[in-house]
Amino acid sequence: MIQPQAYLEFEVYEDNINLLGIAKATLPEIAYLSQDMTGAGFSGTIEAVLIGMMEKMTLKLDFRSCTDAAVQLMSPKKHHIDLRVAEQYWDTVNVEQDMQADKHVLIVVPKKMAPGTVAPASMADVSGEYAVYRYEGYKDGKTLWKIDPFNYICEVGGV
């Protein structure tokens, strides 16, 4: 059995070129659209989950300062982003630590950038938010999900 311990490190790539200066990424939430149902046939209100219909997704990237990468990602065009993650885990069967490669592949369009703050002896805390048009997640080479509302793709766990 594998027990995840922590993300050790990650790198952000655009079009297979490493972007420097990324401090933190907040991944998009994957949520299905839902509709409240009331009326004859049942008592109260229930929530109907609309399988394959997705809520909007947002990627947030936090930079330490207003780097070239932060500015480049605000150019008004689509960006192909790869987040490549090294995840440490404990293998309880073989009684050892090991690593897995996680990857998040996203097609995004910039929504906004916050240039942060300017103060002595501090980071600027620059951030950017991006509308996600396609989102794929992988763990150790295995596809976890593939979400692409424009092409009617909603595959999660092979379903």
Side-chain angles (χ1 to χ4, degrees), residues 3 15 26 30 40 43 46 49 52 59-60 72 76-77 79 82 86-87 98-99 103 111 119-120 126 132 147 153:
Q3 294 180 342
D15 299 328
T26 302
I30 299 171
S43 61
I46 65 168
V49 177
L59 170 69
K60 184 177 180 201
Q72 176 185 330
K77 64 174 192 153
H79 298 271
D82 286 357
E87 183 177 15
D98 209 344
M99 302 285 280
K103 185 162 80 165
K111 290 175 29 174
V126 175
V132 177
I147 309 292
I153 296 170

Side-chain angles (χ1 to χ4, degrees), residues 21-26 60-65 125-128:
I22 306 293
K24 181 177 161 186
T26 302
K60 184 177 180 201
L61 297 175
D62 296 320
F63 299 82
R64 292 189 177 105
S65 68
D125 294 328
V126 175
S127 66

Side-chain angles (χ1 to χ4, degrees), residues 41-144:
F42 49 88
S43 61
T45 303
I46 65 168
E47 188 174 24
V49 177
L50 306 176
I51 303 301
M53 304 296 287
M54 307 307 295
E55 293 278 354
K56 65 182 179 181
M57 295 180 285
T58 300
L59 170 69
K60 184 177 180 201
L61 297 175
D62 296 320
F63 299 82
R64 292 189 177 105
S65 68
C66 201
T67 63
D68 290 346
V71 174
Q72 176 185 330
L73 287 174
M74 274 312 293
S75 62
K77 64 174 192 153
K78 114 183 147 172
H79 298 271
H80 180 219
I81 304 293
D82 286 357
L83 300 173
R84 299 177 190 177
V85 182
E87 183 177 15
Q88 180 176 300
Y89 67 90
W90 182 257
D91 183 339
T92 60
V93 174
N94 296 317
V95 192
E96 63 187 9
Q97 278 183 327
D98 209 344
M99 302 285 280
Q100 281 185 338
D102 296 351
K103 185 162 80 165
H104 301 271
V105 179
L106 306 102
I107 302 294
V108 302
V109 172
K111 290 175 29 174
K112 66 180 180 178
M113 183 176 105
T117 57
V118 178
S122 67
M123 294 186 298
D125 294 328
V126 175
S127 66
E129 285 190 18
Y130 312 89
V132 177
Y133 289 3
R134 183 178 176 102
Y135 183 22
E136 299 174 27
Y138 301 91
K139 180 175 279 301
D140 208 26
K142 177 184 172 190
T143 302
L144 301 175

